[in-house]
């Protein structure tokens, strides 16, 4: 029987097709709350309304985990027969393209609110208080962090337009080198001790954060320098800037924030710093939980085995899937990096996190809680053999002694 005649394929439809528009909540949340703030101020709630400017952290740490708990796992995988048609459907890529204009509209509005000295139209007699400014900057950081995920989706594609849109999306967070390091560094070295973006068993998030940020930056610069030299060019020659994807990505950040500082003044600089640092931290938390303790074994040739579903932590919780364009289906992503998000599947054989990414982000900030939840899962994944895990070097002997004695 042909695929067209199979009843289950003939009636299959993507139940999340229009729900993918939920991914536009982060870049529009600031625009959506302004009328609410105005209304609250009209009835005399000026003391309370600035709390709404903390909408970004509220979304990440409270709302998304609660919704994941309520709606649970996704559970829908597209069958093989619809994959090609689903890949070709341009509606899905337009959902990611739409992130960019809303992102930049929110950044501009945020820059204005952060620096304005008279917000009487909004119901404030002067400018925002510093607690309100910090909340605003963190919310801008959240849309930058989620934007890094949208950039991740577009940056894996072959079309030149999507690759440039990826770098433009990363410009806000000043993390343009991620475009190079992730595609040509992380995907090659994933789940090995050589990968700065693969966290190790026993490594706290606070140890991982500087290692991943600095290591990823160094790797991106090195990779682009090697590419330039293979083409017979100096990586630092200004004539090579258009072709150096690290330098031109950083230049986009300089142009963006330079223009906004020229318009709104040096008072904008604290927002630039706060939002960038918070976006880096939030995004690197996701990196931390995606491969914690997982290790590709070396084969007889001395090379690492091919990346398989067992080398990524998965989560299939519905709501965070929608917000992060199936990033949680991470095993399929590493097996098929150019596959579009709508066709990613939850694979058998991949270890699963106990909850969605949003819940696990908060847990990662508290190392004792993280290790209580995750260490036993890593051990179970390797049948109690800690020697098969990617272990933090400074803890290797202690852990081998501890868990070896427990066998």
């Amino acid at each position: 029987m042909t695929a067209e005649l199979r009843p289950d394929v003939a009636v299959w439809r993507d139940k999340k097709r229009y729900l993918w528009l939920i991914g536009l909540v982060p870049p529009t949340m600031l625009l959506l709350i302004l009328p609410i703030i105005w209304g609250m101020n009209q009835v005399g709630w000026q003391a309370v309304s600035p709390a709404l400017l903390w909408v970004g952290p509220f979304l990440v740490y409270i709302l998304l985990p609660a919704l994941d708990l309520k709606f649970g796992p996704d559970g829908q995988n597209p069958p093989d027969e619809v994959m090609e048609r689903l890949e070709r459907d341009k509606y899905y890529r337009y959902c990611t393209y739409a992130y960019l204009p809303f992102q930049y509209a929110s950044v501009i509005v945020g820059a204005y609110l952060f620096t304005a000295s008279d917000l009487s139209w909004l119901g404030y007699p002067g400018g925002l208080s510093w607690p309100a400014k910090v909340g605003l900057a963190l919310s801008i950081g959240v849309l930058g962090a989620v934007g890094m995920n949208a950039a991740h989706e577009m940056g894996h594609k072959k079309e030149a337009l999507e690759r440039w849109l990826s770098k433009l999306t990363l410009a806000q967070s000043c993390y343009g080198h991620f475009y190079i390091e992730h595609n040509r560094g992380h995907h090659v070295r994933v789940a090995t001790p050589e990968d700065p973006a693969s966290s190790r068993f026993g490594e706290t998030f606070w140890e991982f954060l500087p290692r991943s940020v600095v290591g990823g930056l160094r790797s991106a610069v090195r990779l682009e320098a090697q590419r330039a030299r293979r083409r017979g060019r100096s990586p630092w020659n200004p004539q090579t800037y258009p072709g150096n994807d690290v330098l031109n990505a950083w230049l986009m950040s300089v142009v963006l924030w330079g223009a906004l500082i020229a318009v709104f003044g040096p008072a904008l600089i604290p927002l630039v710093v706060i939002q960038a640092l918070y976006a880096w931290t939030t995004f690197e938390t996701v990196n931390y939980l995606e491969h914690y303790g997982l290790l590709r074994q070396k084969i007889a040739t001395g090379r690492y085995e091919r990346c398989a579903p067992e080398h990524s932590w998965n989560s299939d919780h519905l709501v965070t899937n929608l917000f992060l364009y199936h990033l949680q289906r991470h095993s399929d992503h590493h097996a098929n990096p150019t596959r579009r998000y709508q066709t990613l599947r939850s694979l058998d054989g991949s270890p699963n996190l106990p909850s969605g990414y949003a819940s696990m982000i908060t847990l990662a900030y508290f190392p004792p809680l993280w290790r209580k939840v995750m260490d036993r899962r890593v051990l179970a994944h390797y049948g109690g053999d800690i020697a098969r895990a990617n272990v933090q070097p400074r803890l290797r002997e202690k852990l081998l002694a501890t868990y070896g004695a427990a066998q």
Side-chain angles (χ1 to χ4, degrees):
M1 182 179 292
T2 65
E4 289 76 13
L5 297 178
R6 279 179 48 197
D8 60 326
V9 174
V11 301
W12 189 91
R13 63 185 180 87
D14 182 6
K15 296 177 181 178
K16 303 190 292 290
R17 182 177 178 86
Y18 298 107
L19 292 177
W20 290 115
L21 294 173
I22 290 175
L24 296 178
V25 168
T28 59
M29 60 187 176
L30 179 60
L31 306 176
L32 294 173
I33 66 167
L34 287 181
I36 301 174
I37 291 176
W38 178 86
M40 293 175 69
N41 290 342
Q42 298 309 301
V43 296
W45 289 6
Q46 285 89 346
V48 179
S49 61
L52 269 66
L53 294 171
W54 289 76
V55 61
F58 173 79
L59 176 72
V60 171
Y61 301 124
I62 298 176
L63 184 59
L64 281 181
L67 291 175
D68 271 342
L69 183 63
K70 177 175 176 59
F71 291 99
D74 185 333
Q76 187 188 41
N77 275 341
D80 291 339
E81 293 85 350
V82 305
M83 294 285 277
E84 184 178 353
R85 170 171 58 85
L86 204 57
E87 280 273 336
R88 291 199 309 265
D89 191 336
K90 292 188 176 181
Y91 163 80
Y92 293 95
R93 68 187 72 178
Y94 296 152
C95 289
T96 57
Y97 295 176
Y99 195 98
L100 189 61
F102 287 118
Q103 174 189 14
Y104 277 88
S106 292
V107 167
I108 293 169
V109 170
Y112 162 70
L113 293 173
F114 194 89
T115 57
S117 58
D118 180 11
L119 291 173
S120 55
W121 66 270
L122 192 57
Y124 298 119
L128 295 176
S129 65
W130 268 104
K133 287 184 177 182
V134 171
L136 172 62
L138 295 179
S139 293
I140 296 293
V142 167
L143 75 91
V146 180
M148 292 164 77
N149 179 64
H152 165 262
E153 168 64 25
M154 293 184 285
H156 271 292
K157 303 306 174 282
K158 298 178 181 179
E159 288 81 356
L161 171 64
E162 289 182 276
R163 290 173 177 259
W164 278 100
L165 289 177
S166 174
K167 287 187 280 189
L168 285 170
T169 307
L170 290 167
Q172 178 209 324
S173 54
C174 308
Y175 223 57
H177 61 277
F178 169 80
Y179 169 82
I180 292 299
E181 162 55 19
H182 181 80
N183 292 328
R184 287 162 43 199
H186 173 65
H187 271 263
V188 173
R189 301 181 300 242
V190 62
T192 70
E194 290 79 18
D195 181 29
S198 293
S199 57
R200 301 158 177 168
F201 186 94
E203 181 179 30
T204 72
F205 169 69
W206 305 108
E207 292 173 303
F208 169 81
L209 178 61
R211 182 172 72 85
S212 185
V213 171
V214 175
L217 190 153
R218 287 176 175 170
S219 176
V221 171
R222 183 172 58 251
L223 287 166
E224 273 300 89
Q226 291 171 349
R227 187 169 74 99
R229 293 189 180 102
R230 284 196 299 269
R231 299 165 67 186
R233 299 179 180 179
S234 167
W236 307 114
N237 188 322
Q239 293 180 344
T240 68
Y241 282 16
N244 187 312
D245 285 324
V246 171
L247 296 178
N248 62 42
W250 287 347
L251 183 60
M252 290 178 187
S253 297
V254 172
V255 171
L256 168 65
W257 290 113
L260 290 178
I261 290 172
V263 172
F264 296 106
L268 185 64
I269 293 175
L271 179 139
V272 179
V273 174
I274 294 170
Q275 67 85 27
L277 292 177
Y278 189 60
W280 301 356
T281 301
T282 304
F283 190 75
E284 290 294 350
T285 314
V286 174
N287 272 341
Y288 176 76
L289 60 90
E290 286 174 336
H291 304 283
Y292 178 75
L294 302 180
L295 179 66
R296 288 155 58 196
Q297 308 300 316
K298 286 190 174 181
I299 56 179
T301 61
R303 299 170 65 90
Y304 288 105
E305 63 183 324
R306 185 176 180 178
C307 188
E310 66 191 54
H311 300 124
S312 301
W313 290 100
N314 265 31
S315 173
D316 201 28
H317 282 68
L318 174 62
V319 178
T320 305
N321 266 353
L322 294 169
F323 271 86
L324 297 183
Y325 304 114
H326 271 162
L327 180 67
Q328 298 182 128
R329 294 183 171 183
H330 211 59
S331 295
D332 196 7
H333 167 66
H334 272 279
N336 303 281
T338 61
R339 179 172 285 176
R340 294 190 179 275
Y341 69 92
Q342 67 270 20
T343 58
L344 290 174
R345 294 184 284 193
S346 194
L347 301 176
D348 294 334
S350 58
N352 281 283
L353 296 170
S355 187
Y357 277 15
S359 303
M360 301 304 292
I361 284 174
T362 303
L363 193 68
Y365 296 154
F366 302 94
L369 294 179
W370 172 267
R371 294 198 62 187
K372 183 176 181 180
V373 170
M374 289 302 300
D375 282 11
R376 60 186 176 88
R377 286 178 164 81
V378 175
L379 286 167
H381 181 61
Y382 288 115
D385 185 0
I386 191 63
R388 295 176 59 201
N390 186 7
V391 176
Q392 178 75 329
R394 65 176 178 81
L395 298 176
R396 175 171 292 277
E397 294 303 321
K398 178 181 177 180
L399 290 171
L400 287 173
T402 299
Y403 292 107
Q407 295 304 305

